[in-house]
Amino acid sequence: MAALLVTIGLNATQAPAAFAANILSNSGFETGSLSNWACSGGTGSVVSTPVHSGSYALAGAASGSDTAQCTQTVAVKANTAYTLSAWVRGSYVYLGVTGGASTWTPSATSYTKLSVSFTTTASQTSAQIFLHGWYGTGTYNADDVELDGPGGTPPGDGAPAAPTAPQLGAVTSNSMALSWTAPTGTVTGYRVYEGNTAVATSTGTSATIGGLTPCTTHTYTVAAYNSAGESPKSDSVTGTTGGCTDTGLAKHALIGYLHASFANGSGYIRMADVPSAWDIIDLAFGEPTSPTSGDVRFNRCPASECPNVESDADFIAAIRAKQAQGKKVLISIGGQNGQVQLTTTAARDTFVSSVSAIIDKYGLDGLDVDFEGHSLYLDAGDTDFANPTTPVIVNLISALKTLKAKYGSKFVLTMAPETFFVQVGYKFYGGAGGGDNRTGAYLPVIHALRDALTVLHVQDYNSGPVTGLDEQWHNVGNADFHIAMTDMVKAGFTVAGTGHRFPGLRADQIAFGLPAATSAGNGYTSPAQVQQALNCLAKGQDCGGYTLRGGTSPAIRGLMTWSINWDRYFNWEFMNSHEPFLNALP
């Protein structure tokens, strides 16, 4: 959960050594001030009670938008073992070294000692120590912080420490302003990095990056430098430029799947008979001729199963009528039975051509990716979601980017992953090993397509319990589940065991999915509970004790359901309850 990681390697072969020296300054805050410590957003202070020893201790005021991170950077020796410890008090208190080892306690009603060991790399000259709480959990205390080990060359005599607390300023369609807090040591200037590329330099603690493409997401870090060298990079900060193309989609959309190739016990609905309340209609399903062929076919429901099925001509005419009303009609690929594994570039290319043929034949507005089962997985060692290497992931990303480029900015791209493939990645990530290699497997696809993605509507159903950002288990079928799962998508989260953080999506890209009725899936949620979740997410109201880590989302896109057919079967409860409610949201 500590969102402040830059690269500090560990040398597991170095034998630990014991030292009596504490090389931190003002480690017990006995100066009565925060000297030598930097706390984010003015959240830190020194208090006289409660203390562990002496006269003073640190108080970090964690809020709904700030974990109250306090750091100190010290000079260290290379290839050397250190032990870091602190006495802490409060809920969810974290101690660690930036980019390396960390530890935490979920609840310390009285002062409790945390301790963690790490070993510096062969070229490391400084280490940043951090303490922080967690979003919305209130004030924590820390005292008697110790870093046991030999001191190195002071930062003033070498490269500076890392800048802290980077934050976004003004954002336009083609620029982003950043600011940060100066580190200790002599600083000549700063470099702003996107990945490993320096995109701006500054002699002060701010910079503006220009020449950006509208509606694109960027993640930046900052490093300080002087004549002796460059500091480690700061925490990352992520933002999205303005100027996103208006696809004509309703601000708060009602999204539903239409059984277009089967009846599934709920009966067939002719396209012309779909009520106008539905803003996105997903045609279920396009399926491949075999799991690895990439050859996707859309076969309309046969008359033997759907006696009232209309002709292709009437079907297409009804699609045009929906589009004239501003509705979007998409082909949904996959579903429960449609396994799609693009294991080769040939399958990728076939996928692009066959999906294009379906879109062109029916004049559709875009594509919904509903890959389930074993369609997506991560090879062992594939741990960086921003740079995936597993063929089924890489080829799908390439295929979707090709389709987006072919059809242009108005192309509607949606995704309907299960929680297993998204939020479960917070605690388990397939490529990191030690479990199912499918956990979190949608994350690299979502991230790579985030600038092209219209709506992500995770299936908040047919799911086991999932750990949220509050470190609590959440279960399907109530407002709490939808609040916690959707907040994870908005706030972003660290990806388990990888050292990487998945940045959250824009609110207008986020909806959540649920069954239209009890027969449609496990996790049916009553209309009152669904609307409680929407009130919490959009307005910050009636959150049931949950604190939104991603903040409120007035622009949240809406609701998805499986399915339009099941909703009709149960007298349109979903549509009649939620379409007016969505329209009334700000």
Side-chain angles (χ1 to χ4, degrees), residues 3-6 69 98 135 163-168 178 193 195 218-222 233-239 499-503:
L4 41 135
L5 302 182
V6 292
Q69 175 185 300
T98 297
Y135 297 104
T164 58
Q167 55 187 323
L168 288 176
L178 304 177
Y193 285 90
H218 302 270
T219 299
Y220 299 110
T221 55
V222 184
K233 293 176 182 177
S234 71
D235 303 350
S236 63
V237 61
T238 299
H500 301 290
R501 180 176 178 82
F502 175 78

Side-chain angles (χ1 to χ4, degrees), residues 52 80 100 141 194 202 205 218 251 261 270 282 306 310 315 353 381 383 388 420 425 435 542 565:
H52 175 254
T80 302
N141 298 105
E194 184 165 17
S202 174
T205 56
H218 302 270
K251 181 178 180 180
S261 58
R270 295 163 66 99
D282 292 316
C306 303
E310 70 270 57
F315 185 69
S353 61
T383 59
F420 186 76
D542 202 13
N565 302 63

Side-chain angles (χ1 to χ4, degrees), residues 268-315:
Y268 182 82
I269 302 177
R270 295 163 66 99
M271 176 63 71
D273 295 331
V274 175
S276 61
W278 299 94
D279 297 299
I280 294 181
I281 303 166
D282 292 316
L283 304 179
F285 288 107
E287 299 180 359
T289 55
S290 71
T292 59
S293 70
D295 187 8
V296 176
R297 306 294 176 89
F298 174 54
N299 299 310
R300 299 191 54 232
C301 191
S304 57
E305 183 179 354
C306 303
N308 59 327
V309 65
E310 70 270 57
S311 67
D312 271 1
D314 287 345
F315 185 69

Side-chain angles (χ1 to χ4, degrees), residues 122-141:
S123 60
Q124 188 174 344
T125 59
S126 67
Q128 185 182 70
I129 305 310
F130 68 78
L131 285 152
H132 69 78
W134 196 243
Y135 297 104
T137 56
T139 298
Y140 70 90
N141 298 105

